[in-house]
Amino acid sequence: SRLTFHWNHRLKRMFLNNAKIPKAMMLISALSLFLGTGLRLFDQGRQVFWHDEVHTALRIFGFSTQELENTLFDGKLHLASELQRFQRPDPQKGFCDTMRSLAGHPEHGPLYYLMARVVAPFFNPPLAGARVLSGLIGLFLLIFVYRLAGDLFPENPLIPWVSVTITSLSPFFILYAREARQYSLWALFTTICMIWFLKLKQLHRNWVLWGILLMLGVYTHLMFGWLIVAFVIYLFFDRDYRNFRQDFFKSVSLAIALFSPWVWVIYKGVHRVNAYTSWMQQPSSLQALMEKWADHVNHLLFDLPGVPQLAMISIPMVIFGIIWTLWRGNRKASFLLALVMATSIMPLVIPDLIQGGMRSLNARYMIPALLCMVICTAYLVSCTLSGNAVSRMFGYGFLASMLISTACFGYEYLRQDTWWNKFSSYFNPMAARLINDSANPLIIADNFIINPGEVLSLSYLVKPETPFLLVKGNMVFDLPKGYDLFVLNPSGPLLENLMGKCELQLAKIPGLPWWASVKK
């Protein structure tokens, strides 16, 4: 049959291409895959479950933030084990409760969370299961990166090998394969849809399946829509694709129709979307933005906090890789990669520069662009491996340095219980050690901004019998005596209550910016 012939042809071409791959490259790729797989799956419950992740568990098991606050933030003592009830399956909560909870945060597509709801209950704690799901998705990403790089640059059989090697070793993609959030799935659908777009001439009859893929991408992350914009721009300028525009727009129309129920959810909850994303509009200096952008690029290749000099290698390497690919790569590949990077970066960077804000401070919102940067870097390295002896030495030296650096990163990362991508929960393990060392601790917090998520994060780290006194705003409460008090990120009203009515003298805890304790 035609399908059998097609796959026989592909397998034959793959075998012939791989026969040309140097043994040194195959060895580095094998070691990279082994290391990358281990770092994506090993000891997934090691690092702190941070603010966003505990909200993942809250939603997939059908709880809402409002329900959490109404139940626990009542001015009474609750043990850490009681807080954990909101991180585990509840027999009284079904699929409809999960959908209701997800609809309460319409800024996030529901697909990953529905997948996590199926997988997570088989693990203890369930959030470790959600992380394993992300890790497995991260492994599938490597397979499709290999295919995408080969389709973009069929003239060089080394590029797929180098691309999968760099992606496998990338600390950034390792970190987000170890997080109970949708970012690995977003990267996977980005890669799959780019592959399908490149094959549009052969697959134009399968516009229904193409539309379903686009729909799944948008249900994973709303910013996936910018990838569709990149495809539209490509179709508009590339005359070779003009005969397939009608089928493509039929696919987009189908995706929009299938996504319309969630559009209605967003419309009904637009006030919640604005409230939950308002933090992005907080002012940030140009210097802070540029430093973070440099970190984004550096973490693609290296992530060793004690060796900042590695940025002097990674940043020029990535930037020159982009320039080299756009200059020397084939027209189809360079144009598509440029469009995907532009449509992923500009919607974040331009508002930050013009209006002020911190949208672009988070690398996870630039995943399609960072994925393309990896492929551009791989193109540059592949060109060096195809050159003379000196350039080959440079290329292999770079890959070997990545392999050694990622091994050091993995060793250090697996020894730590927090990392830079834990953001607001970064200091929770340190706070928990201090609390656990206290003979009679009591954690006090109100429902101010991020505190509901932070107390859930802490409930994994402190002893199960550790008491929490959780309140709302100006709530009047009785302060029990005989405890060592630890106050988490208090609001103004809570501070007035503690220092006025309760006549306490609070002092910041050195090294823990979110915390205060009673001044002795």
Side-chain angles (χ1 to χ4, degrees), residues 313 317 380-381 384-385 389-399:
I313 301 174
M317 194 75 182
L380 173 63
V381 174
T384 65
L385 296 179
V390 175
S391 68
R392 288 199 301 273
M393 186 179 299
F394 173 82
Y396 284 123
F398 171 75
L399 293 176

Side-chain angles (χ1 to χ4, degrees), residues 123 178 435 497:
F123 292 80
R178 295 181 61 90
I435 292 167
N497 204 338

Side-chain angles (χ1 to χ4, degrees), residues 48-51 54 79-81 83-84 87 424-436 442-445 450-468 470 486-489 512 514-515:
V48 57
F49 295 108
W50 77 286
H51 179 275
V54 298
L79 303 182
S81 56
L83 274 65
Q84 279 288 298
Q87 296 289 285
S424 60
S425 304
Y426 179 86
F427 295 98
N428 284 356
M430 289 171 268
R433 285 193 289 269
L434 185 63
I435 292 167
N436 288 334
L442 174 62
I443 301 171
I444 301 177
I450 61 172
N451 288 357
E454 294 308 315
V455 296
L456 286 177
S457 174
L458 277 168
S459 70
Y460 285 94
L461 302 170
V462 297
K463 298 173 183 176
E465 64 274 14
T466 303
F468 287 73
L470 306 176
F486 297 89
V487 185
L488 168 62
N489 191 28
L512 296 175
W514 299 98
W515 290 87

Side-chain angles (χ1 to χ4, degrees), residues 2 8 11 14 38-39 55 65 126 168 213 218 232 318 322 351 398 412 496 502:
R2 184 179 301 177
N8 286 340
L11 290 172
M14 184 183 297
L39 290 177
H55 276 89
T65 305
S168 180
L213 282 174
V218 186
V232 171
V318 173
I322 295 170
F398 171 75
E412 187 63 25
E496 290 179 10
C502 300

Side-chain angles (χ1 to χ4, degrees), residues 253-313:
S253 300
L254 176 62
I256 293 173
L258 295 174
F259 187 67
S260 58
W262 201 254
V263 173
W264 177 251
V265 172
I266 295 172
Y267 172 76
K268 294 290 287 184
V270 67
H271 60 287
R272 288 193 290 268
V273 174
N274 293 332
Y276 294 138
T277 58
S278 60
W279 62 269
M280 294 184 178
Q281 301 173 21
Q282 296 177 17
S284 185
S285 67
L286 179 60
Q287 180 181 352
L289 289 172
M290 295 184 69
E291 288 175 355
K292 275 297 183 181
W293 298 342
D295 283 344
H296 299 346
V297 176
N298 182 44
H299 292 154
L300 270 182
L301 306 181
F302 304 111
D303 190 2
L304 291 175
V307 193
Q309 296 83 0
L310 289 173
M312 299 175 65
I313 301 174

Side-chain angles (χ1 to χ4, degrees), residues 12 131 169 193 229 253 286 323 336 344 354 367 370 416:
K12 182 179 179 181
R131 284 182 173 179
L169 294 175
C193 287
V229 172
S253 300
L286 179 60
I323 296 171
L336 181 59
S344 299
I354 296 176
I367 277 182
L370 296 173
Q416 304 294 327

Side-chain angles (χ1 to χ4, degrees), residues 314-367:
S314 58
I315 295 174
M317 194 75 182
V318 173
I319 292 175
F320 189 63
I322 295 170
I323 296 171
W324 184 260
T325 304
L326 299 184
W327 177 36
R328 298 295 299 270
N330 66 72
R331 181 183 60 85
K332 177 175 67 172
S334 58
F335 189 34
L336 181 59
L337 290 172
L339 283 175
V340 174
M341 285 188 284
T343 54
S344 299
I345 293 173
M346 292 299 104
L348 299 172
V349 170
I350 292 177
D352 281 353
L353 294 176
I354 296 176
Q355 302 174 354
M358 50 193 304
R359 303 163 187 84
S360 60
L361 291 183
N362 293 278
R364 62 186 186 270
Y365 298 143
M366 298 182 179
I367 277 182

